Amino acid sequence: MRDTTNAPVINRNAAILGIVLALLVGFFLGFTVHGLVGGKPAPSPASQQTAQMPPSAAPEPNPALVDRIKALEKQTQLEPANTAAWTELGNLYFDTHQPEQAIKAYEKSLTLDPRQADVLTDQGVMYREIGQFDKALNAFDKALAITPGHVIAAFNKSIVLTHDKNDKAGALAVLKALALKNPNAKLPDGHTVTEAIQELSTK
């Protein structure tokens, strides 16, 4: 089982998988660091911060983000059917290390539009952060059902299986399925999925 103090959760980066953000000390070949990455295409400035720090050690959120969250909370009350507003609110909760609130906001967005693979991926990251590993896997599975070659969802699922569920065989199966769907897939550290499979197979 994982030691959460050494498992940074990396922020959302699905649209720019080849770019490693400043925080990306996470997963490299061999699964030696157990971080997850999220699915949202455009990370905010808060994405440079780790989401696994104890609450007392978490950095103070950017005042602009706090103001934006308050505005979105009001907007979603006035416009409960606004999918984009719920998604953005979830993203900002994600960035400011509020996983429970992020999960709820993402759920509202998914109720309105359940076929959002990136939102499901982000929700899975938040479930994993609070230790609900089965719900995290379920979210990643839903994302992969929508987009079978979704690199980040598959990557995150393999991490949860390896480090949280002690299921290396399951993790290998996920990566092999990704390789079949997306043979040129590169993981966030720049290694190919084939290299990751080879490395994990030797562990």
Side-chain angles (χ1 to χ4, degrees):
M1 291 300 181
R2 68 183 177 117
D3 176 357
T4 57
T5 61
N6 292 316
V9 174
I10 312 306
N11 217 334
R12 307 166 313 276
N13 194 27
I16 49 174
L17 299 182
I19 299 174
V20 181
L21 300 177
L23 179 60
L24 191 52
V25 296
F27 178 84
F28 58 91
L29 193 60
F31 294 71
T32 55
V33 178
H34 315 159
L36 302 191
V37 291
K40 185 171 81 69
S44 76
S47 66
Q48 306 305 314
Q49 303 164 351
T50 178
Q52 280 288 1
M53 289 185 292
S56 60
E60 289 295 324
N62 186 316
L65 293 182
V66 174
D67 290 343
R68 182 59 182 156
I69 287 171
K70 290 178 180 178
L72 283 166
E73 288 172 342
K74 292 180 180 178
Q75 183 178 359
T76 52
Q77 288 178 356
L78 294 171
E79 304 172 22
N82 189 328
T83 306
W86 282 114
T87 300
E88 185 182 355
L89 182 58
N91 291 339
L92 291 178
Y93 284 143
F94 185 129
D95 289 350
T96 54
H97 319 300
Q98 302 180 72
E100 292 89 354
Q101 292 92 325
I103 288 166
K104 292 175 183 178
Y106 286 143
E107 193 60 39
K108 292 285 189 179
S109 177
L110 291 164
T111 298
L112 295 166
D113 180 5
R115 294 190 61 79
Q116 299 182 82
D118 287 347
V119 174
L120 284 161
T121 300
D122 291 341
Q123 189 182 53
V125 173
M126 294 289 92
Y127 274 126
R128 195 256 189 169
E129 185 174 343
I130 63 174
Q132 296 194 27
F133 307 130
D134 289 336
K135 288 186 176 181
L137 291 172
N138 184 55
F140 299 142
D141 282 340
K142 288 180 179 178
L144 289 166
I146 296 166
T147 307
H150 198 295
V151 175
I152 297 299
F155 165 76
N156 287 342
K157 182 179 178 181
S158 71
I159 289 176
V160 172
L161 287 171
T162 301
H163 299 291
D164 302 319
K165 304 294 285 186
N166 195 28
D167 183 3
K168 187 178 79 169
L172 279 169
V174 171
L175 293 176
K176 288 177 180 178
L178 174 62
L180 288 175
K181 296 289 184 181
N182 189 351
N184 298 317
K186 284 192 175 182
L187 302 181
D189 67 338
H191 289 93
T192 67
V193 64
T194 301
E195 290 171 326
I197 290 168
Q198 292 171 346
E199 180 69 14
L200 185 57
S201 296
T202 65
K203 297 295 183 181

